[in-house]
């Protein structure tokens, strides 16, 4: 059974960089053909896909967030990381890491609350 666990600070100041790490167990982040994704849900709003890093190491980001987003990985630790720069209070959300194939999300982390506030 694949398990994903988000970790990182729960409070970030405006203009700073939000950084979260997803630790994966029960499967390798290099296994064909999975896409390791970040998704968020602001309070009272729907889910928003942020981007992914693929099994190959390639990345793709939501056009609305591309300029501020970087997803990377450390295969030796079986982890992947989200960095979202220049954050504002509108970036406050529950952030999820997830595993997806071409059709759907197949595993979710439990989610972690990140609040952007001074």
């Amino acid at each position: 059974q694949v398990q994903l666990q988000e970790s990182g600070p729960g409070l970030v100041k405006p203009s700073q960089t939000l950084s979260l790490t997803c630790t994966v167990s029960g499967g390798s982040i290099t296994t064909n053909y999975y896409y390791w994704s970040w998704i968020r849900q602001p309070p009272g709003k729907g889910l928003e896909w942020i981007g992914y890093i693929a099994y190959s190491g390639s990345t793709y980001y939501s056009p609305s967030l591309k300029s501020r987003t970087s997803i990377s990985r450390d295969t030796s630790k079986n982890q992947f990381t989200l960095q979202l720069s220049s954050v504002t209070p509108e970036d406050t959300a529950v952030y999820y890491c997830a595993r997806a194939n071409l059709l759907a999300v197949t595993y979710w982390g439990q989610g972690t609350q990140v609040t952007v506030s001074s």
Side-chain angles (χ1 to χ4, degrees), residues 28-36 52-56 99-104 106:
S28 172
I29 61 174
T30 63
T31 296
N32 300 351
Y33 297 94
Y34 296 123
Y35 300 80
W36 302 92
Y52 68 72
I53 185 162
Y55 60 96
S56 62
R99 192 191 80 176
N101 58 28
L102 289 175
L103 297 177
T106 52

Side-chain angles (χ1 to χ4, degrees), residues 51-66:
Y52 68 72
I53 185 162
Y55 60 96
S56 62
S58 65
T59 56
Y60 196 79
Y61 308 121
S62 170
S64 65
L65 297 170
K66 176 180 173 62

Side-chain angles (χ1 to χ4, degrees), residues 56-110:
S56 62
S58 65
T59 56
Y60 196 79
Y61 308 121
S62 170
S64 65
L65 297 170
K66 176 180 173 62
S67 67
R68 299 194 290 131
T69 305
S70 178
I71 299 174
S72 58
R73 67 181 183 176
D74 184 339
T75 58
S76 71
K77 297 179 180 179
N78 214 37
Q79 295 177 330
F80 62 104
T81 298
L82 170 68
Q83 293 184 292
L84 183 66
S85 66
S86 302
V87 298
T88 74
E90 291 191 359
D91 293 310
T92 294
V94 176
Y95 285 75
Y96 299 91
C97 59
R99 192 191 80 176
N101 58 28
L102 289 175
L103 297 177
V105 173
T106 52
Y107 290 92
W108 294 80
Q110 67 182 5

